Amino acid sequence: MHFWISIVLGLSSFGLVAAPASFESAKKVAGRMYSSEKQEFYCGCTIRWQGGKGIPDLNSCGYQVRKNGPRASRIEWEHVMPAQQFGSPLPCWQQGGRKACAANDELFQRMEADLFNLKPAIGEVNGDRAHYRFGLLPSSVSAYGQCPVKIDFQARLVEPRPEIRGDIARIYFYMADKYGITLAKAQQQLFMAWHQQDPVDSAEQQMQQRLAQHMGHANDFVTGKKHWRLNYQPSRFGLTAAVQSDSTAKPAQLSASVVKGNKNSKLYHFSHCSGFRQIAESNQVLFDSELQAQQAGFSLAGNCKAADPGQSGE
């Protein structure tokens, strides 16, 4: 009798609750899941929750508004792996960007709504972070007072505080594993180091368990059942037959390089730009990041613009 009760309880708490199907529904669920969470992700500011919405206490972490006071006064849901990184290789992104994908592509909708990839962040930091990659910025200083996050807008890089670097790494590992998203070698090496330097703590484990009840599965890079290594082969367990048949995307399309250069013109293109696919194979130069392309002497193509920073968060 006790055996069957355990099975029923296990199913009801881990398998029968449907994962959010859209970003809007995910934000509502996340508001409930994080209602007991007292710290904002990037700065560590204290959060006061009201009706599922978070209000940061900026004084609690010495936060200084850089530019956008209204967004600094609210908590937004940050995609740790930006929507551009998991969405730009999809055909829907080429047809109309994030809005087109959110409206028409089931695979993108599931990735955008994945609770493990969402964290409560001060709105201004969420907007400033945009789709920038994570890295180390030893010569930079924070533009947010005592909040330790650093953002280099020219290099399009973000350095998070040490206390969350391992959390970020394990989220990236999870997203890459579940949806078959390619991580550049430099990214993998950075995140593997962060995973070691900032191991899983009890708070991360408890939140993982809470989110798993709604997602129907765990983040096994947090539980320890999976371990990332260089050139890890993703399981792609999020690319179900149903999603693949309904979406115009194929798993291989999620492996597109983020930055591609033309060695003749010395111009580089993002994967959402028209010129990205027009470069002859013999002229292609692939880069791990925009900064790497710039350091190699390449310039951004005139008809290629970065995604709207405001699209990366709420």
Side-chain angles (χ1 to χ4, degrees), residues 147-168:
C147 168
V149 66
K150 301 176 185 178
I151 301 180
D152 187 323
F153 295 96
Q154 184 174 1
R156 293 187 169 93
L157 283 176
V158 178
E159 179 181 300
R161 58 193 176 107
E163 296 86 350
I164 62 170
R165 291 176 186 174
D167 303 57
I168 290 170

Side-chain angles (χ1 to χ4, degrees), residues 37-75:
E37 184 73 16
K38 301 304 181 185
Q39 269 200 342
E40 178 273 346
F41 191 57
Y42 286 122
C43 301
C45 293
T46 302
I47 302 176
R48 177 168 55 89
W49 295 96
Q50 283 186 334
K53 295 185 180 296
I55 302 171
D57 180 355
L58 302 183
N59 292 329
S60 68
C61 63
Y63 186 94
Q64 292 181 6
V65 176
R66 185 186 73 85
K67 185 177 180 180
N68 195 327
R71 288 191 76 172
S73 65
R74 69 176 186 246
I75 290 295

Side-chain angles (χ1 to χ4, degrees), residues 80-82 85-86 107 111 114 116-117 168-185 187-188 191 217 219-221 226-229 231-239 251-252 254-255:
V80 177
M81 175 183 281
Q85 185 164 355
F86 58 72
L107 174 58
M111 291 191 287
D114 198 305
F116 286 120
N117 190 38
I168 290 170
R170 289 179 283 275
I171 290 170
Y172 265 77
F173 294 157
Y174 162 83
M175 291 291 289
D177 179 56
K178 182 177 180 180
Y179 300 109
I181 300 168
T182 295
L183 299 181
K185 182 179 179 181
Q187 271 194 314
Q188 295 183 57
F191 292 148
H217 59 266
N219 177 347
D220 282 332
F221 295 96
K226 291 183 178 180
H227 302 276
W228 192 274
R229 55 194 175 278
N231 300 319
Y232 177 95
Q233 295 300 310
S235 66
R236 303 176 186 268
F237 72 91
L239 300 178
L254 295 176
S255 299

